[in-house]
Amino acid sequence: MLIDTHCHLDKLDLSPYDNNLHGALDAAYHEGVRQLLSIAVNLEDMSKLLAFTEREGVYASCGVHPLHTEGLLTDGSALKQFAENKKIIAIGETGLDYFYETSEEIHTAQRESFKQHLIAAGQLDLPVIVHTRNAQQDTMDLIRQYGNKDSAGVLHCFTEDYPMAKAALEENYLISISGIVTFRTAEELKETVRKLPLSSLLVETDAPYLAPVPFRGKKNEPKFVKEVAQYVADLKGIRYEALLEASAENFHRVFKRAQPDYQLTV
């Protein structure tokens, strides 16, 4: 089963589909995509994300991105309320971003918000979707201190080094690979993918961002996850179908609320 494990359906460019989300989802279906996880970056738009889950095969998360500074959390009560909906299968996108945000005051707020996401996710037995950039040590320290190793989570759109990936695996986390892996300059990431066990990998688009080669420079969309999956399979030296089988098994093992038979149809 081909799954886009991380996309932002509320941010897609729908102009090629007459501004109809179902057109983009139908296009993904025709490329083999059977499930999608639409990721929250704030709590203000949760009603929109939940509406997307009325389409079979579409799930959502709830959380606040570390760069959404005006909404960073100081407690997890809102997360718990949204997670009462069973179409919410993960907490996040949360984490730390010291690359785009250099203020130490904001870093402190990011760490507190990330902590609240980790605690809530552990109490809910849901995985955490983690964004991390230029914050390796703090990210792993908070996961170790406040994370639930049983429900764990995923480091999404992974661009860090192999030692961090290995440390995440020790906390039962998965590593999700985006279209960045297809970029000519991503040699370190390619080598990390070659080293990582198949049982640790997911594929994603992070649409509408980071379209893979040969679509780089265009707006990304869920149907392009096929290119990411094929590229990762080639790096691992395995059949495309074997990559799909393994990554789907990984996804459903960690994202326990996602049902394999709940699939996109047209």
Side-chain angles (χ1 to χ4, degrees):
M1 179 190 293
L2 179 57
I3 305 171
D4 186 356
T5 65
H6 190 113
C7 59
H8 300 277
L9 294 184
D10 57 329
K11 301 184 183 303
L12 296 185
D13 175 11
L14 298 175
S15 57
Y17 304 104
D18 295 324
N19 294 315
N20 186 336
L21 175 64
H22 292 290
L25 297 180
D26 290 346
Y29 175 86
H30 287 300
E31 291 299 326
V33 179
R34 294 296 178 266
Q35 291 186 335
L36 306 93
L37 177 50
S38 185
I39 303 297
V41 294
N42 62 66
L43 300 182
E44 294 87 345
D45 295 330
M46 283 305 303
S47 59
K48 184 185 296 185
L49 264 64
L50 287 171
F52 298 154
T53 66
E54 294 175 7
R55 172 84 179 247
E56 267 197 55
V58 179
Y59 292 100
S61 70
C62 64
V64 180
H65 192 285
L67 295 178
H68 187 65
T69 54
E70 65 272 24
L72 292 172
L73 300 183
T74 56
D75 70 76
S77 57
L79 298 174
K80 294 176 183 178
Q81 290 175 2
F82 283 116
E84 291 176 2
N85 187 314
K86 296 305 179 183
K87 297 292 181 63
I88 298 292
I89 65 170
I91 299 299
E93 172 176 359
T94 180
L96 305 175
D97 193 313
Y98 297 172
F99 180 81
Y100 285 110
E101 181 54 71
T102 58
S103 161
E104 182 53 43
E105 181 181 0
I106 299 299
H107 291 176
T108 299
Q110 286 184 359
R111 288 191 291 269
E112 178 61 26
S113 184
F114 186 24
K115 169 186 167 181
Q116 296 301 328
H117 283 78
L118 289 165
I119 292 171
Q123 293 171 344
L124 294 164
D125 194 31
L126 290 175
V128 184
I129 298 166
V130 177
H131 168 108
T132 179
R133 194 156 186 199
N134 284 22
Q136 288 192 13
Q137 189 64 55
D138 284 354
T139 297
M140 292 312 305
D141 284 349
L142 286 165
I143 286 173
R144 292 186 186 104
Q145 186 172 359
Y146 298 105
N148 181 332
K149 207 167 185 176
D150 292 330
S151 53
V154 54
L155 299 188
H156 106 91
C157 192
F158 190 77
T159 56
E160 304 294 335
D161 55 23
Y162 176 70
M164 185 180 191
K166 188 178 178 184
L169 265 58
E170 291 171 357
E171 299 304 311
N172 206 26
Y173 271 61
L174 297 174
I175 306 298
S176 186
I177 306 301
S178 73
I180 290 175
V181 76
T182 69
F183 298 176
R184 181 178 54 82
T185 55
E187 288 305 320
E188 184 177 14
L189 178 58
K190 298 180 206 290
E191 188 56 34
T192 294
V193 171
R194 291 187 187 102
K195 290 179 180 178
L196 287 171
L198 194 55
S199 60
S200 71
L201 293 173
L202 298 177
V203 291
E204 64 170 86
T205 59
D206 202 14
Y209 316 108
L210 304 171
V213 174
F215 305 105
R216 190 174 183 186
K218 297 183 179 181
K219 293 289 187 180
N220 203 359
E221 55 180 290
K223 71 178 182 180
F224 294 155
V225 74
K226 181 178 180 180
E227 276 66 34
V228 181
Q230 182 66 68
Y231 201 93
V232 170
D234 292 344
L235 284 174
K236 301 295 288 181
I238 61 175
R239 293 180 302 109
Y240 174 73
E241 293 78 11
L243 186 280
L244 297 196
E245 181 179 353
S247 58
E249 181 179 334
N250 298 340
F251 180 78
H252 292 119
R253 182 179 72 249
V254 173
F255 294 81
K256 300 181 181 72
R257 286 187 178 180
Q259 300 299 315
D261 58 352
Y262 181 75
Q263 299 186 20
L264 279 178
T265 57
V266 293

